[in-house]
Amino acid sequence: MSTADFLLELRSEEIPARMQAGAREELEKLFRREMDAAGVATGELIVWSTPRRLALIARGLPQATDAVSEELKGPPVGAPDQAIEGFCRKAGVSRDELEQREVKGRATYFALKNIPGRATKDVLAVAIPAVIRDFSWPKSMRWGAASISTGSLRWVRPLSGIVALLGQDIVECEVHGVTSGAVTLGHRYHHSGDITIGDADDYAVKLRAAHVIVDHEERATLIRDGATEVAREAGLNLVEDEGLVIENAGLTEWPIPLLGRFEEDYLEVPPETIQLTARVNQKYFVCENSDGKLANAFICTANIEAEDGGAAIVDGNRKVLAARLSDARFFWDVDRKRTLAEHAEGLKRITFHEKLGTVADKVERVAKLARWLVDEGIVKGADPDMAEQAARLAKADLVTEMVGEFPELQGLMGGYYARAEGLPDEVADAIRDHYKPVGQGDDVPTAPVTVAVSLADKLDTLQGFFGIDEKPTGSKDPFALRRAALGVIRLVTENDLRFAVADGELLDFFADRLKVQQREAGIRHDLIDAVFALGGEDDLVRLLARVKALQNYIETAEGADLLAAYKRASNILKKEDWEGASDADPIETGEEDPLALVDDPAMAKVAAAQMEASRQKARKSLSYTPEPAEKDLIDALDDAEPKAEAALAAEDFEAAMTALATLRAPIDAFFDNVTVNDADAAKRAARLDLLARFRDAVERVADFGRIEG
Amino acid sequence: MTRDPRTSFQDMILTLHDFWSAQGCLILQPYDLRMGAGTFHTATTLRALGPEPWNAAFVQPCRRPTDGRYGENPNRLQHYYQYQVILKPSPPDIQELYLESLATIGIDPLKHDIRFVEDDWESPTLGAWGLGWEVWCDGMEVTQFTYFQQMGGFDCKPVAGELTYGLERLAMYIQGVDNVYDLNFNGGTSSSSEAAGRERRVSYGDVFLENEKQMSKWNFEVADTDGLLKAFEMAEAECRNALEKDVPIAAYEQAVEASHIFNLLQARGVISVQERASYMGRVRDLARGSCEAHMAKEAERWAEKYPEWSK
């Protein structure tokens, strides 16, 4: 069967740059949906975007869909007329077209439908309006005369033209008064008049002749390479910024990077402010000198090839940037007239949260907490006075002019201002970096004063919002608590900070975050669960060490065998509903968590003594001579239990695993050679007790019941 | 005498008037109330409601007390001009018309980089929002371009297109001037005090510098805050009075008045952060209430005249 290429172009007024990537995906998705529903096979699709158009090319569409016959089963013969007529309507056949067949000995109506193949052109004529109507934009609008009534078409900006060609034929359709055709427009300023497209093959070619590069990736490459080149020509290095490349590609149909210079005097303000205002407000690239310092140059991306080579454009852009830099310098000068401590007074006027007081209140709490973290030796190597001072000043830049204008510079400006007024580097660094780590890939502070402030800030936020029951739900996390928790986890684990981070719900929240965070490091979430399930573990460093040791062991063949044996023992005990062993174990009689006892050095000895006594009792109470495999398991447990306990108490989790590993052979032998369900009730009870003892020994290391596999 | 929009601020305005007049716009005069933006003019807000076509252009003086810089900043003014065009329903060639208007005042899009950059507009005070762009000329924002979607909390049916040109910025650009006070206001070429009529060059500074100095001082330092607080209450009360008597246009004027007094109170620094939200809420209630009353008063007539329209 013959095939043809299909071209669709949806032209509109300027589509926001940030929405174009999503729009390309949406176009492809909806087009495929329509073609799949109609049974038109689609191969690879090309999707392009410019500010003024979305384009799709589908190569090699069949000219028609295959004929399909379909058979629909209806009600039995003799059913009420209503039911039969309803079926006819649904099937789209008349009553005399129905056929009768036997189904399980009953005469039943059938509708036979032969759906003939459809011309792809007809399919497309219906599909295009459907794609446009169902298109989902982050924000859409109505326009023009038709918007007098509700239900007029919504699009990102007014939709102004449709090109739809299958082969060389126009696919005729109409949406919201826009009729499809073969005609499009070129560059807004470099080309006037209509362009008639012949087919999918000459689309990009004809547009290029009209100063439009339809392929967004080609424009991105032109910008990337062009910016690098103009920087190089000026003896500078481009500061690469892929986000800006894509944004500028989304703002232009014929991109021309141009380099300009600004007055060198402006370089006295922090380079980040220059880079930020150039990037955010003006979408300019910046450059560095060969020494790696910011240069007094910018690169803007024009959308035209100006007659004067862009001199007027560069000059205009230079003025705009100068005005912005002049503002930045003004802020920089004004802000430094007051100390951070003076600025911090202004925090009393900013509400942090209505139930949590002002930012000044928060600062006070964070200052105390930061100091406490140092005083308690949790954060080692920091001067407590510095930690407190840095915490008190960390938020002061929020009320400076510069951060008011550029909120992204929070922290960073505080650091600059702190250094400018002569505060110690440790304090200035802590102010600068206390928001870190911001994301998964961000650096984690290691400087002790910074660690104390950063950790205190995040813990205060988490405790505060959990205290007023403002917890994240589903996708809603308005106070960015997940990020704060992740920050705490990374600060604690990467700096090896040993303390109880939280309790109750907040600890559970940390457990969840830890699972997400550790997934990337290849740590299994079920193992984290298995350790958390022991209860009472609020020391994330110890918890992770335990999980890692567990994972190393469980992923060996021996570990897998032990897990299997544990599950077997545990299943038998469950099936037999056997609770016997716990009576013999004083450690598990109370509400007190056994680990809590073991963790407390003073209690560890007592616990060990109690356990030993219980073991003696269990051994002595054996009223028969155990079988060899049974005896071996008892001996192995006698040997492994105290070793595992001691290892756990010493937080040597590898050694605890090694101790457990010695049980693997005896337990396997026990299962192979000993009948648990012995006719002798005493033997049965003792053996079930033994299995329970094995289970408990394993569970002291982790709740193996939660481990998958 | 021929106009030269490239050397004269007033000729630039007159050229825009000529252009939009030729496009069928009514050329209106500024609203005689102090307001923060041309959007507050009833020719924009109230006319954006309802089904009746409306095409108008006008200059509106805008007052933003907190932007005052005592005449010392080359770009910032507490009083400046916007050129406002409203086209309802938005015509299909509105962007092309706008670009033509730029060409008439001397901006050549093959020399200068004109770009439509996403910028959506929202005025919580007016219960209004729209989608559109800020128009960049060589990186400088020269116009706000908005398709109104809602006004006073009501869907705009049909949608109006609004163009707001920053006149001083545009003129600075066209005249190649770095300081607003250096703008040539009348196109005169002689700085001699003996030159007469149009020959004598009058700068924007000659006209407004002293105003900026005095008004900045008044806005920030002098205005009687007790009086302003009372004036705010009075405007609020009068707005409610007018609403009660079913004269929504009069009510709307009081809402505009209250909005400006609030801005003055802000400049005087007597409104705390906490109070700020509450004042804004009060202004919003007045503005929305007026729009609602206007809608209620006209809805029946509109529905009769335009059967496809509904509130």
Side-chain angles (χ1 to χ4, degrees), chain B residues 35-74:
Chain B
M35 49 183 64
T39 305
F40 280 90
H41 196 305
T42 55
T44 304
T45 46
L46 298 186
R47 292 288 178 170
L49 292 167
E52 292 173 316
W54 178 254
N55 298 295
F58 54 91
V59 173
Q60 180 62 47
C62 301
R63 290 176 180 250
R64 305 227 172 138
T66 47
D67 281 352
R69 292 293 183 273
Y70 298 84
E72 285 164 16
N73 184 299

Side-chain angles (χ1 to χ4, degrees), chain A residues 220 223-224 227-228 238-249 275-276 278-280 283-287 299 301:
Chain A
I223 294 167
R224 203 180 293 115
T228 308
L238 176 75
V239 175
E240 287 174 20
D241 189 331
E242 195 55 22
L244 266 185
V245 168
I246 291 167
E247 190 171 12
N248 278 298
Q275 190 168 357
L276 193 73
R279 177 190 208 289
V280 176
K283 311 187 195 308
Y284 300 154
F285 297 92
V286 291
C287 301
I299 296 169
T301 310

Side-chain angles (χ1 to χ4, degrees), chain A residues 567-616:
Chain A
K567 294 215 159 158
R568 191 166 167 192
S570 172
N571 284 338
I572 292 169
L573 292 164
K574 226 175 278 166
K575 204 170 125 204
E576 300 297 329
D577 206 10
W578 193 258
E579 299 288 344
S582 61
D583 299 338
D585 192 342
I587 302 294
E588 287 198 345
T589 51
E591 294 169 0
E592 198 79 12
D593 173 19
L595 260 175
L597 291 174
V598 171
D599 285 348
D600 183 339
M603 287 305 290
K605 278 182 194 162
V606 181
Q610 280 179 335
M611 289 183 65
E612 188 49 34
S614 97
R615 279 185 207 108
Q616 298 286 351

